[in-house]
Amino acid sequence: MSSSTPGKTGKSGKSGESGESGKTAKAAKAAPARTPAATKAAAKAAPKGPATAAKAPKAESHLAMVRRARRINRELAEVYPYAHPELDFRNPFELLVATVLSAQTTDLRVNQTTPALFAAYPTPEDMAAAVPEEMEEIIRPTGFFRAKTKSLLGLSAALRDEFGGEVPGRLEDLVKLPGVGRKTANVVLGNAFGVPGITVDTHFGRLVRRWKWTDEEDPVKVEAVVAGIFPKSEWTMLSHRVVFHGRRICHARKPACGACPIAPLCPSYGEGETDPEKARKLLKYEMGGYPGQRLSPPADYPGKPAPELGAG
């Protein structure tokens, strides 16, 4: 759950008579084909008219900001009705392990690595008994594999010895496990146990600051501020929608402002590419016609599954 990730590889195309027709043909050949559902999703995300900056007053009141923030959430819910955690998992243990592995890499790389990991160590008991060097070789593609192996061995042993081999469903228990902080705990609680939580990863923090919901940099403070803006029932899905938008449109270095469906609500409009055609070339994953990050995405995901490790 950044993702990106987690390379959460989870992060463009060019087109133009004799010499130019060749370029156009080449560009057309290189452009990824969208599935009908992905094309529909991208069309739905496209701004209804020319994108313009949000006309927020210089000193927006707190109430006005809350109303604007909630409208952004409603708009994102229409653009990404299929938003979901971008880590493949079948149970709480797999989600916990995948989230720990996602640090400093992409969700895609984690998803390409975990099939072999869980085939070798399907339970906390199996993983706690793993030979460190053998686990390191399996998770090497995710980076920082020695530190991550140490964390996985420690948390698996703790689950075996202190929780009967089960992942606990309380934040206060989860954060005591090796390698598990509030972000990881909220990912697990929200997506494996249905307990509302706000996941403040790099994408989430960047976007809420661009939207002027807060200027806090500390993830715990960001979480507290955003929790005060939205009802608890929205926390988990809000996190998915914001992260989806950050990975697909509102990029860190060059946001696709001209292709952003919430541009009229964004006080930072203009930080990125505002030309609609150029902006559309910056779209990623299903919005740009590319595969997603999950090898086994939910049934309602309109894009294409990610390739297995070493494929394509």
Side-chain angles (χ1 to χ4, degrees), residues 86-88 107-115 292-298 304-309 311:
E86 294 192 271
L87 290 168
D88 285 325
D107 286 359
L108 171 61
R109 184 60 73 205
V110 174
N111 293 335
Q112 292 174 325
T113 302
T114 50
Q293 296 207 76
R294 291 186 63 164
L295 278 66
S296 301
K304 294 174 282 191
E308 295 181 358
L309 188 64

Side-chain angles (χ1 to χ4, degrees), residues 11-312:
K11 293 208 200 223
S12 81
K14 297 183 180 178
S15 38
E17 216 173 76
S18 57
E20 291 192 344
S21 63
K23 292 179 181 178
T24 302
K26 185 177 181 181
K29 183 177 180 181
R34 287 179 178 155
T35 65
T39 301
K40 184 177 180 180
K44 191 172 184 179
K48 301 300 184 288
T52 56
K55 296 179 180 178
K58 291 183 180 179
E60 185 180 40
S61 71
H62 179 72
L63 178 58
M65 181 276 290
V66 169
R67 287 173 172 168
R68 180 170 56 82
R70 292 183 175 184
R71 185 177 172 189
I72 286 175
N73 183 42
R74 291 194 299 271
E75 295 283 341
L76 292 179
E78 291 189 10
V79 175
Y80 308 110
Y82 49 83
H84 58 268
E86 294 192 271
L87 290 168
D88 285 325
F89 69 98
R90 295 170 296 186
N91 54 59
F93 176 62
E94 290 190 358
L95 179 58
L96 176 61
V97 170
T99 307
V100 170
L101 288 176
S102 70
Q104 304 300 312
T105 190
T106 64
D107 286 359
L108 171 61
R109 184 60 73 205
V110 174
N111 293 335
Q112 292 174 325
T113 302
T114 50
L117 180 68
F118 295 136
Y121 317 112
T123 69
E125 292 83 0
D126 295 322
M127 190 168 286
V131 175
E133 292 77 14
E134 294 177 0
M135 184 184 290
E136 287 174 2
E137 282 305 305
I138 295 174
I139 68 171
R140 181 184 289 269
T142 69
F144 301 96
F145 56 92
R146 292 191 178 89
K148 290 178 180 179
T149 294
K150 184 177 180 180
S151 292
L152 294 184
L153 290 172
L155 74 82
S156 296
L159 292 177
R160 178 195 62 196
D161 299 339
E162 300 173 31
F163 298 99
E166 299 291 334
V167 176
R170 302 193 311 164
L171 186 143
E172 53 265 42
D173 293 328
L174 284 168
V175 295
K176 293 177 184 177
L177 299 173
V180 179
R182 283 187 67 89
K183 185 187 81 170
T184 296
N186 279 331
V187 169
V188 173
L189 289 173
N191 297 287
F193 292 99
V195 178
I198 294 172
T199 303
V200 183
D201 69 354
T202 182
H203 302 287
F204 192 96
R206 179 179 74 251
L207 267 62
V208 299
R209 285 186 288 272
R210 278 181 177 166
W211 295 335
K212 311 302 181 187
W213 295 1
T214 181
D215 58 3
E216 295 287 357
E217 296 281 345
D218 179 77
V220 175
K221 293 180 179 179
V222 170
E223 181 184 339
V225 171
V226 177
I229 298 175
F230 296 91
K232 206 169 186 178
S233 59
E234 286 290 316
W235 289 357
T236 300
M237 287 308 301
L238 169 72
S239 299
H240 292 324
R241 293 165 191 152
V242 173
V243 171
F244 255 60
H245 194 63
R247 289 175 171 170
R248 286 148 177 79
I249 296 178
C250 197
H251 315 304
R253 291 195 177 94
K254 199 170 185 180
C257 295
C260 180
I262 60 168
L265 299 170
C266 181
S268 297
Y269 172 83
E271 285 188 9
E273 181 57 67
T274 58
D275 179 86
E277 287 301 319
K278 292 180 180 179
R280 275 193 285 272
K281 294 176 182 178
L282 300 174
L283 302 181
K284 296 184 178 180
Y285 303 115
E286 75 282 354
M287 290 298 177
Y290 301 96
Q293 296 207 76
R294 291 186 63 164
L295 278 66
S296 301
D300 64 344
Y301 180 62
K304 294 174 282 191
E308 295 181 358
L309 188 64

